[in-house]
Amino acid sequence: MHITSAEILCVGTELLMGDVVNTNAAVIAKELAALGINVYHQTVVGDNPGRLTEALHLAFSRSDLVITTGGLGPTYDDLTKEIIAQYFGRKLVFHEESWRRIEAYFSRLQCSFTQNNRKQAMMPEGCTVFENRCGTAPGCALEGNGKMAIMLPGPPREMKPMLLEQALPYIRKDSDTHLVSRNLHFFGIGESALEQRLHDMMVEAVNPTIAPYAKTGEVMLRVTARVRDGEDPTPLLEPVVNRIKEEAGQYLYSETDGDLQSALVHLLRDKGLTAATAESCTGGLVAKRITEVSGASQVFQCGMVTYSNGMKEKMLGVSRETLNTYSAVSPETAGEMAAGARRFSGADLAVAVTGNAGPEPSEGKPVGLVYVAVDSSWHKEVLELNLNRRDGDARELIRYLASSHALHLLLRTAQKYPGVSGISKEQEAQAIG
């Protein structure tokens, strides 16, 4: 069966009431996109047989494949299998192997089960059963009249393994092609500006395609090629990626890492460098993002939050004269904070952030005015940023954007390190000696 389009149908009244966040749809959509299957609709419907039947018929009227989550439990309102079996004209039959697995599951947990758990072992006749290795509700696949239904459990810890290990291989069984993507991550340019630079390429692209995805303060371009199994995608992807670099390469910060902090940690590690942070308005957010990355302990010396002027002076050595003359929110203070953090920590480079995140102007400084400074033996720089936003969460957005600029400034400074890439400072010194 050749599948070109799919719909995701998530079942559960708790999703409609907001008691549970629907993360399943995002996971499924991402995996289907990797298979080259278009998802044009996502639907959430409550545990009501009439509305579920209506939603299922509508989904199949516009898609080859419908993937459902939820409604596979033991209670009376778990009706997904029943409704889908009716659609395909199948009856439910007892699946002995599923029942043995359910019994074994309860035995391992040393819990008793009730007779309504047997309902979970009732499966549509002729279906392919998916084992649930993390719970009790098995899933299944059912086909007929050019349509395919995949039924998965609702809890994400049960749904995702079943999707990855059983459902996706089942969907792919008749396909001899797949999609391969290259993700390009940009900072310092907005989605509309990047699209304008690459407009003709994006409109003309067929295989591979180019799709932009906006993140907070960043843009990702996904370059995706469809290839036959075993075919090398490089001849399709590489020319397009190179053309994008020619047009917007100065904003590209990574082709491998999905965020600024990961790109920074990996680059510092490759170059044998260490970093430190000094923060005021961001309150430790830069350090937090760095330490989220596995392996950060190899490159991150320390982070200091010097919120008050007294601590800027005492911990970082910012002069009282600078604070009195220029105020805490100034390029002079930012520069001295970065220098103090590098001096205190012994790190190769240090970044500092000071500014006014709001909600009100302070010391004559407008909301959103932020200074970010970097200090190293080979490069020093101070950025003035005007990050004011009028959103309801403006303060947190300003803080996050300021932390992103700090990470990016560290990244750019590490890239300028005059040492030999891939060789630590110690190795470099030994080679010179």
Side-chain angles (χ1 to χ4, degrees):
M1 175 180 173
H2 181 61
I3 297 171
T4 59
S5 62
E7 182 158 337
I8 301 168
L9 179 57
C10 298
V11 182
T13 302
E14 67 279 3
L15 298 173
L16 293 173
M17 296 181 67
D19 294 331
V20 175
V21 178
N22 183 16
T23 60
N24 285 340
V27 173
I28 296 169
K30 184 176 181 180
E31 296 299 331
L32 290 177
L35 295 182
I37 298 174
N38 298 308
V39 177
Y40 297 126
H41 302 276
Q42 296 181 10
T43 303
V44 179
V45 64
D47 300 299
N48 176 278
R51 288 189 286 273
L52 178 54
T53 300
E54 180 184 17
L56 182 69
H57 280 261
L58 178 60
F60 272 127
S61 73
R62 57 195 181 192
S63 300
D64 308 311
L65 166 66
V66 174
I67 298 183
T68 68
T69 66
L72 303 182
T75 60
Y76 73 95
D77 59 348
D78 290 309
L79 298 170
T80 300
K81 283 184 297 187
E82 288 83 345
I83 300 299
I84 293 179
Q86 289 174 14
Y87 177 87
F88 284 94
R90 311 286 180 89
K91 61 182 180 179
L92 294 179
V93 295
F94 186 71
H95 191 250
E96 187 67 41
E97 186 176 353
S98 291
W99 177 241
R100 286 198 298 269
R101 290 174 184 151
I102 292 170
E103 288 183 308
Y105 179 86
F106 281 107
S107 178
R108 286 196 304 273
L109 297 180
Q110 297 183 335
C111 295
S112 59
F113 56 86
T114 57
Q115 282 305 304
N116 62 355
N117 285 111
R118 289 179 64 89
K119 179 176 183 289
Q120 294 181 292
M122 299 296 293
M123 309 299 293
E125 189 175 27
C127 72
T128 298
V129 177
F130 300 145
E131 178 184 354
N132 190 336
R133 293 157 190 160
C134 303
T136 58
C140 65
L142 193 59
E143 295 185 56
N145 299 321
K147 303 291 184 180
M148 178 189 297
I150 300 287
M151 289 164 264
L152 302 173
R157 66 179 184 84
E158 299 178 29
M159 186 285 298
K160 189 172 181 179
M162 188 180 294
L163 172 73
L164 298 180
E165 298 167 11
Q166 299 175 79
L168 293 179
Y170 181 90
I171 294 170
R172 279 203 63 200
K173 68 183 189 304
D174 297 324
S175 174
D176 61 353
T177 64
H178 64 282
L179 296 184
V180 180
S181 296
R182 290 271 296 275
N183 296 332
L184 309 179
H185 299 271
F186 298 83
F187 184 83
I189 186 171
E191 182 183 18
S192 58
L194 185 60
E195 193 273 343
Q196 187 174 18
R197 284 175 177 246
L198 305 173
H199 179 266
D200 291 343
M201 287 180 61
M202 296 171 70
V203 170
E204 296 168 4
V206 177
N207 188 25
T209 58
I210 307 170
Y213 299 88
K215 300 166 63 176
T216 304
E218 300 182 40
V219 184
M220 183 185 81
L221 286 183
R222 176 170 291 152
V223 184
T224 303
R226 180 182 293 278
V227 294
R228 294 193 175 277
D229 293 343
E231 181 183 356
D232 182 8
T234 304
L236 286 172
L237 292 172
E238 204 63 26
V240 175
V241 170
N242 288 338
R243 283 187 61 194
I244 292 172
K245 289 180 181 178
E246 290 173 5
E247 295 294 334
Q250 67 268 42
Y251 301 102
L252 177 68
Y253 74 81
S254 181
E255 297 180 54
T256 55
D257 295 299
D259 52 59
L260 284 163
Q261 55 265 34
S262 296
L264 172 63
V265 168
H266 296 154
L267 181 63
L268 292 174
R269 189 174 60 199
D270 290 345
K271 289 182 174 288
L273 298 172
T274 57
T277 60
E279 302 180 62
S280 184
C281 65
T282 45
L285 184 55
V286 181
K288 175 183 179 294
R289 290 177 65 180
I290 292 173
T291 55
E292 287 173 348
V293 182
S294 177
S297 59
Q298 300 173 38
V299 300
F300 186 60
Q301 294 289 72
C302 69
M304 291 173 281
V305 179
T306 54
Y307 216 64
S308 70
N309 285 358
M311 287 298 101
K312 290 180 177 68
E313 184 179 351
K314 183 176 180 179
M315 294 182 65
L316 298 172
V318 178
S319 73
R320 186 172 301 179
E321 181 181 358
T322 296
L323 292 166
N324 290 337
T325 303
Y326 302 105
S327 84
V329 182
S330 66
E332 292 81 6
T333 296
E336 291 186 28
M337 287 174 65
R342 185 163 80 94
R343 182 173 57 249
F344 176 86
S345 65
D348 298 300
L349 62 165
V351 73
V353 186
T354 183
N356 181 12
E360 300 295 335
S362 176
E363 297 182 352
K365 307 294 183 177
V367 174
L369 177 63
V370 175
Y371 292 96
V372 180
V374 70
D375 189 88
S376 71
S377 62
W378 63 92
H379 182 72
K380 303 177 192 296
E381 185 178 351
V382 181
L383 300 178
E384 179 178 300
L385 307 171
N386 294 286
L387 304 175
N388 193 15
R389 300 293 189 273
R390 302 194 182 277
D391 312 57
D393 60 347
R395 179 177 171 82
E396 287 310 303
L397 181 58
I398 290 169
R399 282 158 45 90
Y400 185 83
L401 291 174
S403 73
S404 293
H405 279 278
L407 293 168
H408 189 247
L409 184 55
L410 278 174
L411 183 65
R412 286 199 293 108
T413 302
Q415 289 169 338
K416 295 176 181 178
Y417 175 59
V420 181
S421 178
I423 300 178
S424 69
K425 297 194 305 298
E426 292 76 10
Q427 292 170 322
E428 187 178 353
Q430 291 173 3
I432 295 173

